[in-house]
Amino acid sequence: MRTAQRWAHALQAAAEGELTGDIPMTKANAAKVEKAVRAAWQPRVKQRVRRDAEKNGFTLHISGTFGFDADPNSTDDPRERLLENLRMPGSVAQALYAARDRGATQAEQEEILADGLRDHYFRVGGGRGVAKVALNSLNWIDLEV
């Protein structure tokens, strides 16, 4: 730990033009520090993000063409929609993570997301959701935990 701290100090000093410290910072040492930090840091960050998303849900921003089964006398034609700041529950995050863990395809993950949108956005008169939502095309998606 102390060695990594000395290397980090040397990196900062080298960036500021003042190479100080007791370990000369070579590019090889800098690569070792970066690799060690990423190996220790990334898994914990990913675990925390996953835990928070599965517990508290996530915010979804999505743009794409959505179609759905609709009641008689209403349109079910797919149309371009921009949905922003849509709060999705943790159950949708759990389903998405489980699908990714088992190696689901993008189409399968999009279907899970479409089911989540059906249950939490496309509602008939504020009550029950429509029968089926389809993501006909996906322009972009952004998720926030």
Side-chain angles (χ1 to χ4, degrees):
M1 175 64 112
R2 184 66 190 124
T3 299
Q5 290 171 342
R6 286 193 300 266
W7 285 353
H9 173 72
L11 275 175
Q12 183 178 359
E16 295 170 356
E18 309 170 357
L19 185 58
T20 61
D22 55 348
I23 295 179
M25 182 54 62
T26 64
K27 288 184 178 182
N29 284 346
K32 288 178 187 177
V33 169
E34 183 176 352
K35 183 178 178 181
V37 168
R38 287 189 184 276
W41 179 73
Q42 287 296 332
R44 289 194 301 249
V45 170
K46 290 176 184 176
Q47 289 168 356
R48 185 181 69 235
V49 168
R50 180 175 182 161
R51 183 186 65 238
D52 290 349
E54 289 179 341
K55 180 180 177 188
N56 303 321
F58 61 95
T59 302
L60 174 67
H61 312 276
I62 188 169
S63 173
T65 305
F66 299 92
F68 54 90
D69 293 338
D71 290 333
N73 300 326
S74 67
T75 181
D76 60 354
D77 291 336
R79 63 180 182 238
E80 186 82 18
R81 293 178 191 264
L82 173 64
L83 308 177
E84 294 187 289
N85 299 320
L86 181 60
R87 193 71 190 155
M88 301 298 288
S91 59
V92 175
Q94 289 170 357
L96 286 169
Y97 275 115
R100 188 194 68 184
D101 291 347
R102 74 171 185 276
T105 65
Q106 180 175 338
E108 292 170 318
Q109 293 178 45
E110 287 176 2
E111 187 174 329
I112 292 168
L113 190 57
D115 290 343
L117 287 169
R118 176 197 67 213
D119 295 340
H120 300 285
Y121 180 76
F122 292 99
R123 295 189 174 270
V124 177
R128 64 178 173 75
V130 297
K132 182 76 174 161
V133 171
L135 285 170
N136 299 92
S137 70
L138 189 58
N139 297 334
W140 57 264
I141 185 170
D142 187 28
L143 307 170
E144 294 177 36
V145 176

